[in-house]
Amino acid sequence: MARKIKKNKLDEMREMSDHATVIRGRIMNSAKELLSKEGYSKTTIRKIVEHSGVLTGSIYYFFKNKEDIFRAILLELVRDCINKINLHCRDESPLFKYAAVCQVELKVLAEYKIVRETYMEGYNSSIIFEGMIAQFVEMARSLFNGTMYACPDEKYYENTLMVKGAMHACLSEMFFRREIRVDVTRRNLLRLALGVFGAEREEIEAIVGRISEMDDVWDEIGRELVEHPIAK
C-alpha cells in the first residue's frame, strides 16, 4: 500500500510538471508570435494573456515581467538554433558552429524588419542585454569546454561582451540612412567572433568562407526560428 501511495504521488508530480511545461510553452509561443507580428513595445502582458488564454497570475508565476519572457524566448531560440546547426553541420568544429549561430542571427535581423526592431529594443534594455550575454557565455562554454579554445569564465564573458557589442553595432547600422555592404559587415563580425576565441588567421578565413557558401542553410534555419513555434 505504501509503495502504491508513493507511486501515485510521483505520478501526480510528473503530471503537474508536464502541465507546467505546457503552460509555460504556451505563454512563450504566444509572446513569440505577438513579438514577431507587433514588436516589443506593442506586446503587452495583457495581449499575451488574451492570445494564450493563460491567466495573468499564471504568467507571473513563471515570469517576472515582459522582459523576463523575452529573455526566456531568446534562450530557447539560441538552444534551438544550435540544435539545428548540429543537424546540418554535425562534423564541423565548435568554432564553425559558434560562427554559424552569429551568421543566423545576422541573417534574421537583416531579413525581418519587426525582429530587427524588437532586437533593438532588447539591446537597449540593460536587463535584456545582460541576459543575452549570459546566454551566449553559456553557449560558448558548452561549445568550447574540453577543446583548445576553452577559457576561464571571466574570459568567456569578456569575449562574449565584445562579440555581442559588435552585433549591436551591426544591428544599429541596419537603421542607418547610408547604404552599407552587409556582406562585408557580416564577414568582419565573424572574423572578430572567431579571433577573440583564439582562432588563427588561416582557420578564420576558411570558416568565414564556408559560412558564406552556406547561405541557404542559414536562411532556412532563420526562417524556422522566426516562423515556427519554439521547439520543446
Side-chain angles (χ1 to χ4, degrees):
M1 177 66 74
R3 288 182 180 178
K4 186 175 181 180
I5 292 173
K6 186 176 181 180
K7 184 177 180 181
N8 287 341
K9 286 184 177 179
L10 287 172
D11 289 340
E12 287 176 10
M13 289 173 65
R14 289 193 191 97
E15 288 176 6
M16 289 174 63
S17 177
D18 291 344
H19 178 70
T21 299
V22 169
I23 296 301
R24 189 175 187 274
R26 188 187 303 171
I27 294 167
M28 289 174 64
N29 277 310
S30 292
K32 178 177 179 287
E33 187 174 341
L34 289 168
L35 286 165
S36 66
K37 290 179 178 178
E38 302 187 15
Y40 186 80
S41 60
K42 291 183 180 179
T43 299
T44 63
I45 293 293
R46 177 176 292 181
K47 285 185 177 180
I48 295 171
V49 168
E50 293 171 355
H51 190 277
S52 66
V54 175
L55 297 176
T56 305
S58 295
I59 289 179
Y60 283 115
Y61 174 80
F62 292 102
F63 304 101
K64 297 176 183 177
N65 47 39
K66 185 174 74 171
E67 287 179 325
D68 197 26
I69 297 174
F70 188 38
R71 283 193 300 173
I73 290 171
L74 289 177
L75 177 59
E76 292 299 332
L77 290 177
V78 169
R79 288 173 177 166
D80 198 14
C81 183
I82 293 172
N83 289 337
K84 292 178 185 298
I85 287 169
N86 280 330
L87 287 175
H88 287 279
C89 314
R90 190 179 305 275
D91 298 326
E92 294 286 357
S93 69
L95 280 172
F96 182 95
K97 293 174 182 178
Y98 186 90
V101 173
C102 294
Q103 180 76 343
V104 170
E105 185 174 355
L106 286 167
K107 297 279 281 184
V108 167
L109 294 176
E111 181 69 23
Y112 295 90
K113 181 175 182 290
I114 195 70
V115 175
R116 190 158 62 241
E117 293 172 348
T118 298
Y119 251 65
M120 180 58 82
E121 294 196 54
Y123 270 103
N124 288 333
S125 162
S126 59
I127 295 175
I128 294 176
F129 186 63
E130 187 176 0
M132 289 181 183
I133 299 297
Q135 291 162 8
F136 271 74
V137 165
E138 182 57 37
M139 180 186 77
R141 187 186 293 116
S142 66
L143 285 173
F144 297 138
N145 274 2
T147 75
M148 63 184 294
Y149 301 106
C151 55
D153 282 352
E154 191 62 30
K155 188 64 175 175
Y156 279 129
Y157 180 86
E158 292 168 0
N159 291 348
T160 301
L161 187 60
M162 186 175 296
V163 173
K164 297 307 288 181
M167 185 73 74
H168 189 187
C170 289
L171 172 60
S172 299
E173 197 176 37
M174 294 177 189
F175 291 88
F176 290 175
R177 287 173 292 180
R178 174 183 175 178
E179 289 188 11
I180 58 171
R181 293 182 58 190
V182 294
D183 57 330
V184 174
T185 299
R186 289 174 189 167
R187 286 198 296 269
N188 286 337
L189 185 137
L190 296 183
R191 290 185 180 102
L192 169 68
L194 295 168
V196 297
F197 281 102
E200 299 292 339
R201 180 173 295 182
E202 266 188 37
E203 186 175 21
I204 290 172
E205 293 306 320
I207 290 175
V208 171
R210 293 207 309 281
I211 291 283
S212 299
E213 292 169 358
M214 296 175 64
D215 265 359
D216 290 347
V217 174
W218 317 135
D219 284 335
E220 179 186 344
I221 291 175
R223 186 165 53 251
E224 289 175 355
L225 291 173
V226 172
E227 298 177 5
H228 293 186
I230 294 170
K232 285 293 181 185

